[in-house]
Amino acid sequence: MDHLRDPKYPEHLPTTEAAVTALRAIAAEYGHEIEVTHDIGADRTSRRSAAGFGVTLDPDGSLPHEAYAEFGGLPRVSVRLYPDDDALIIVEGVECHDVPRDDVPAFLRSVFGGLAHVRSRRFPPAAWLLVPLPGDRTHKEYLTVGLLTPWLSSRIR
């Protein structure tokens, strides 16, 4: 699965802005539109709800930066990049929590490149979204069997 790592993208994405740049490149590579919004400051980011009104810096003096990207086309994919070096990726309504920021480009390449698939069993009924990642790793999310979208249903193996 090392072909999921592309030399055009660095292995480590040190900042949210570096990750957004990689997302834009992947959108262009796969012919998807992308819309990105940024939330900058402790009072604007989602995990900093304890920050007081007008407080923009973290206690260590850093300025947290969070971004939300929504891709056009199918499959429906959105990415929320957190300042804590992880991301929430939603694929056709399936929430994939705690994806390391450095794995986001490979995750999206698997989804857009057709490597991501759904594994199901008949009894007891269950299904999982499986997204291959470099280094023989796989991100696995449980799915509600009755709520599969047409795109997810077309990926059942």
Side-chain angles (χ1 to χ4, degrees), residues 6 28 40 42 48 74 87 99 105 112 126 130 153:
D6 191 313
I40 301 173
R48 305 289 200 291
L74 288 176
V99 177
F112 294 140
L130 300 168
S153 294

Side-chain angles (χ1 to χ4, degrees), residues 1 3-4 30 74-77 89-92 94 96 104-120 128-133 137-141 143 150-157:
M1 290 292 157
H3 64 279
L4 296 173
Y30 288 95
L74 288 176
R76 294 179 317 225
V77 175
I89 302 175
I90 302 174
V91 179
E92 288 289 317
V94 179
C96 303
V104 170
F107 187 104
L108 294 175
R109 213 170 281 114
S110 283
V111 170
F112 294 140
L115 295 174
H117 61 279
V118 174
R119 176 130 330 138
S120 67
W128 296 268
L129 174 64
L130 300 168
V131 182
L133 297 171
R137 296 176 299 134
T138 301
H139 188 90
K140 183 177 181 180
E141 287 293 334
L143 305 174
W151 186 87
L152 289 169
S153 294
S154 72
R155 300 297 184 267
I156 293 176
R157 287 188 184 174

